[in-house]
Amino acid sequence: MEYLTLLLVFIAFVLNVNGRAFHERFISSSSDSDERTITYKVIGKQPLKMVSSDQDSQHEYKLGQVSGLAASVKNPNRLFIFHRASREWNQESFPDGVNFDKNKFGVIPENTILTVNTRTGQIIDQWGNNTFYMPHGLSVDIEENLWLTDVGMHQVFKYSKGERVLTLGESFVAGSDSSHFCKPTDVVTSNDGSNIYVADGYCNARIVKFDSKGNFIKEYSMPQGEQPLIIPHSIIIMETFHLVCVADRENGRIVCFNEENDDDQTNDYDQVKAIIDHPLMKTVYAIDYDPNKHRLYAVSGRNGKNRALGFTFSVHPESFGQLIATWEPHDKFGEPHDLTLSVNGRSLFVGEIRPNRIDSFDVLN
């Protein structure tokens, strides 16, 4: 409760002036860095190489475009990967910008979901062939169920032990009402499983909240008159602070909404509780949260002269939104698309779509 009170006081002080919500950019410097900033490092390692086995031999596995990553909540050395195998998203994939050309491209015949041992690179399990059309988002809930989005199908799926147990949205039907999506990008669930949040998406500028059975509760979007979300691309929950935060990709910012009051169906200023941005973060593709050390991780894409970078922000109540560090691989990022943090907070993984690889990092302190 003490952290929550401090956060609310901080937000009330820095985010509201004359009744209007606003945000500041937080840039750390050597003159005001504390001990956490000085000793904290993210160290790039070699990209993760995956090894597949058959009856006769072992061989390196060739990834497709890596659209989604999720770390196991039970094993710090286990990673789930959602990739596009032989499928590539190009100008012909969505001829009208919304509808996937399923007649031309069809379903992906190869396995699209991998479970990997991050210490050895060994593929433990793989499945998802003849199931997906354009894979995108992936998350894991507290029971290690997989949640996936397919932007071609305009749908969200929950899988338990490889079996589909819940579907949201109508197959290949785009929409913006309470039962349809338009190219949904990501999905996350509350720790108790009672709430589902969907980032929707490439066509819609909103977050949609459902109960555990898929019943619509409400949606979040920017207040009227404010810059709307432009491709909400990645989503997390910070339950301690009652925040649901989204990577607002093309605006280059992270927007955090108040997820407490389900009775309030209006899109007013009370919904937006914090906005984090930085001059180097021209776009932001993915975010993840370390609840133990109160850190928010983000990765940007290339934009003009700005190269893609990883960012670590503080979400301590007294320094919410302050930049702690930037980081990148030794040979720079190509086109990062998603990131995930191991359950022990010691390893970061970034999935890229060009080149098709998974970057690996050690988190020190």
Side-chain angles (χ1 to χ4, degrees):
M1 289 303 295
E2 181 182 355
Y3 275 128
L4 176 58
T5 301
L6 285 170
L7 177 67
L8 294 178
V9 170
F10 174 80
I11 290 174
F13 180 71
V14 302
L15 299 182
N16 292 278
V17 171
N18 298 326
R20 292 183 58 82
F22 80 105
H23 65 282
E24 294 184 359
R25 291 173 174 170
F26 297 88
I27 307 173
S28 61
S29 64
S30 59
S31 60
D32 60 2
S33 297
D34 60 15
E35 184 178 355
R36 288 192 305 271
T37 304
I38 295 170
T39 58
Y40 173 80
K41 291 182 179 179
V42 175
I43 305 298
K45 300 167 61 179
Q46 291 296 316
L48 186 64
K49 290 186 177 180
M50 275 139 292
V51 179
S52 182
S53 300
D54 53 35
Q55 292 182 347
D56 300 318
S57 64
Q58 292 188 342
H59 51 88
E60 185 175 341
Y61 186 91
K62 184 178 180 181
L63 283 169
Q65 294 182 334
V66 182
S67 64
L69 292 177
S72 168
V73 297
K74 300 177 180 179
N75 187 333
N77 301 315
R78 186 160 294 184
L79 181 69
F80 301 100
I81 302 166
F82 198 23
H83 74 119
R84 294 172 183 155
S86 60
R87 177 66 37 84
E88 289 190 4
W89 188 337
N90 57 41
Q91 293 180 343
E92 298 178 352
S93 302
F94 298 85
D96 62 357
V98 172
N99 298 295
F100 179 73
D101 193 341
K102 64 177 179 177
N103 294 324
K104 180 176 181 178
F105 295 104
V107 70
I108 299 173
E110 302 93 356
N111 289 320
T112 54
I113 300 169
L114 309 177
T115 305
V116 175
N117 182 325
T118 57
R119 296 184 66 183
T120 64
Q122 191 74 35
I123 295 176
I124 301 167
D125 190 20
Q126 55 179 305
W127 54 280
N129 60 311
N130 298 311
T131 304
F132 301 100
Y133 291 79
M134 191 61 75
H136 203 277
L138 167 64
S139 67
V140 175
D141 65 23
I142 198 69
E143 296 179 349
E144 207 129 280
N145 300 305
L146 299 188
W147 294 80
L148 308 127
T149 74
D150 188 308
V151 293
M153 300 172 76
H154 304 295
Q155 287 183 300
V156 176
F157 308 104
K158 175 185 179 182
Y159 280 84
S160 177
K161 298 179 180 178
E163 298 293 327
R164 187 183 297 182
V165 295
L166 182 67
T167 301
L168 302 177
E170 185 176 354
S171 181
F172 294 104
V173 178
S176 57
D177 57 25
S178 61
S179 58
H180 292 86
F181 308 109
C182 191
K183 297 163 79 172
T185 53
D186 200 13
V187 57
V188 70
T189 63
S190 57
N191 284 337
D192 63 4
S194 62
N195 294 312
I196 305 164
Y197 301 84
V198 178
D200 183 34
Y202 281 93
C203 324
N204 296 325
R206 63 178 185 166
I207 307 301
V208 191
K209 182 179 181 179
F210 302 88
D211 67 18
S212 61
K213 297 181 179 180
N215 298 310
F216 174 83
I217 298 176
K218 68 183 295 183
E219 68 177 60
Y220 306 82
S221 59
M222 296 300 291
Q224 187 174 2
E226 294 294 308
Q227 176 65 34
L229 302 174
I230 303 180
I231 310 184
H233 200 258
S234 174
I235 189 169
I236 60 167
I237 304 174
M238 291 193 279
E239 294 201 13
T240 303
F241 305 139
H242 302 289
L243 296 175
V244 54
C245 300
V246 61
D248 185 9
R249 197 184 89 177
E250 294 305 298
N251 284 320
R253 63 186 183 178
I254 301 163
V255 179
C256 295
F257 296 94
N258 175 16
E259 59 88 34
E260 285 188 281
N261 189 1
D262 292 337
D263 296 328
D264 181 9
Q265 298 296 321
T266 62
N267 293 324
D268 58 21
Y269 286 97
D270 289 338
Q271 279 196 335
V272 180
K273 302 304 288 186
I275 297 177
I276 301 171
D277 70 357
H278 188 275
L280 293 177
M281 196 165 64
K282 301 299 183 182
T283 58
V284 55
Y285 275 73
I287 53 177
D288 203 359
Y289 171 53
D290 184 343
N292 298 313
K293 295 187 176 178
H294 300 290
R295 292 173 183 156
L296 180 64
Y297 293 93
V299 64
S300 69
R302 291 183 293 180
N303 186 283
K305 295 181 180 179
N306 293 85
R307 67 182 188 271
L309 281 174
F311 297 81
T312 307
F313 295 99
S314 170
V315 286
H316 277 273
E318 66 274 16
S319 57
F320 192 95
Q322 181 178 345
L323 180 67
I324 297 174
T326 60
W327 39 272
E328 60 187 340
H330 296 300
D331 58 349
K332 312 301 181 186
F333 283 120
E335 295 186 31
H337 195 264
D338 198 14
L339 70 83
T340 191
L341 179 71
S342 63
V343 67
N344 62 9
R346 296 176 184 173
S347 299
L348 270 172
F349 301 94
V350 176
E352 299 201 55
I353 59 174
R354 293 180 190 89
N356 302 334
R357 70 182 185 189
I358 297 173
D359 302 301
S360 179
F361 302 86
D362 284 336
V363 180
L364 305 183
N365 195 19

